[in-house]
């Protein structure tokens, strides 16, 4: 059984610096959050127990790029939705999207596969990544994500994401509408 805790860990030994930076950033903005520590969560299925503990909207976070690898996107969508490239591409006016190579994920967001999260935007000081959020994600009162590592998850008010966190990173947010199901 996973234990839901308030805020940052009391003992930070053994934690990665990027995780601690995430807590520092949130604390500096006055964002209240709850945290659960868990085994590595690499798939949405592995997130189900975490989801039950957090009781918040857990998102798929996809790191994408155009064919030329010159434009990069972080897409947040509901964990239950299937991602259809054509639906997203048509809304942002970019064709030939694909998953971005890991090296850009690490270089721009200081995150690795399996820990992709909106929290990584705090590390994108040059604003190389465009944030896109499916409107459904914004309907929940709370949102859950990884604090730049995939052995912890946090939840906080969606309002704080929109009104405090995203503005503090200097990024804009593009709201998209991704259908629940469609054909390729």
């Amino acid at each position: 059984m996973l234990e839901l805790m308030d805020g940052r860990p009391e003992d930070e030994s053994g934690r990665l610096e990027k995780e601690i930076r995430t807590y520092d950033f949130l604390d500096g903005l006055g964002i209240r959050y709850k945290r659960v520590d868990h085994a590595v969560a690499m798939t949405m299925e592995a997130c189900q127990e975490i989801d039950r503990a957090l009781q918040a909207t857990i998102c798929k976070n996809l790191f994408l790029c155009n064919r030329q690898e010159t434009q990069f996107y972080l897409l947040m969508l509901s964990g239950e939705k299937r991602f259809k490239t054509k639906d997203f591409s048509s809304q942002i006016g970019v064709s030939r999207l694909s998953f971005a190579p890991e090296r850009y994920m690490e270089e721009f967001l200081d995150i690795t596969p399996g820990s992709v999260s909106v929290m990584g935007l705090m590390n994108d000081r040059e604003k190389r990544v465009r944030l896109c959020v499916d409107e459904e994600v914004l309907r929940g009162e709370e949102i859950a994500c990884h604090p730049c590592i995939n052995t912890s998850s946090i939840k906080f008010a969606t309002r704080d994401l929109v009104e405090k966190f995203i503005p503090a990173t200097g990024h804009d947010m593009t709201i998209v509408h991704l259908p629940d199901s469609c054909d390729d």
Side-chain angles (χ1 to χ4, degrees), residues 99-110:
F99 289 98
E102 284 181 37
R103 69 180 180 275
Y104 295 116
M105 186 185 304
E106 293 180 39
E107 178 184 345
F108 300 165
L109 303 175
D110 192 21

Side-chain angles (χ1 to χ4, degrees), residues 2-184:
L2 298 175
E3 182 182 354
L4 193 59
M5 297 167 269
D6 288 322
R8 69 189 311 129
E10 288 181 27
D11 180 8
E12 296 177 354
S13 59
R15 304 229 178 212
L16 294 178
E17 193 258 329
K18 60 185 165 185
E19 178 185 6
I20 302 307
R21 269 197 331 264
T22 302
Y23 302 138
D24 290 343
F25 196 83
L26 293 170
D27 292 346
L29 295 172
I31 295 176
R32 296 176 54 143
Y33 55 96
K34 293 194 179 278
R35 185 190 89 257
V36 64
D37 295 328
H38 49 76
V40 173
M42 292 291 284
T43 66
M44 289 308 293
E45 292 77 26
C47 292
Q48 289 178 348
E49 183 181 0
I50 299 163
D51 186 16
R52 284 189 294 276
L54 291 173
Q55 297 180 354
T57 302
I58 294 185
C59 300
K60 284 183 195 175
N61 294 273
L62 306 179
F63 187 57
L64 307 163
C65 67
N66 64 352
R67 188 170 131 190
Q68 298 81 13
E69 297 181 4
T70 57
Q71 297 173 323
F72 298 87
Y73 306 88
L74 177 62
L75 172 62
M76 297 174 66
L77 68 156
S78 168
E80 291 81 43
K81 280 195 178 179
R82 287 185 9 176
F83 173 64
K84 301 286 187 169
T85 306
K86 70 174 187 168
D87 294 326
F88 179 58
S89 295
S90 65
Q91 290 186 52
I92 62 169
V94 176
S95 61
R96 311 286 305 257
L97 281 176
S98 63
F99 289 98
E102 284 181 37
R103 69 180 180 275
Y104 295 116
M105 186 185 304
E106 293 180 39
E107 178 184 345
F108 300 165
L109 303 175
D110 192 21
I111 52 180
T112 55
S115 56
V116 179
S117 164
V118 67
M119 294 292 116
L121 291 178
M122 70 181 199
N123 301 313
D124 181 27
R125 291 176 186 84
E126 295 179 28
K127 316 300 178 275
R128 295 173 285 192
V129 178
R130 179 177 168 188
L131 174 63
C132 299
V133 182
D134 181 41
E135 63 188 359
E136 186 177 313
V137 169
L138 301 174
R139 291 185 196 137
E141 286 188 34
E142 295 180 305
I143 192 161
C145 63
H146 293 307
C148 294
I149 52 103
N150 62 1
T151 53
S152 290
S153 295
I154 57 175
K155 78 170 181 176
F156 56 99
T158 304
R159 176 185 71 254
D160 286 341
L161 172 74
V162 174
E163 296 174 6
K164 294 180 180 179
F165 181 82
I166 294 170
T169 69
H171 288 78
D172 293 321
M173 175 176 59
T174 301
I175 299 173
V176 295
H177 170 75
L178 301 175
D180 287 326
S181 63
C182 61
D183 299 324
D184 277 329

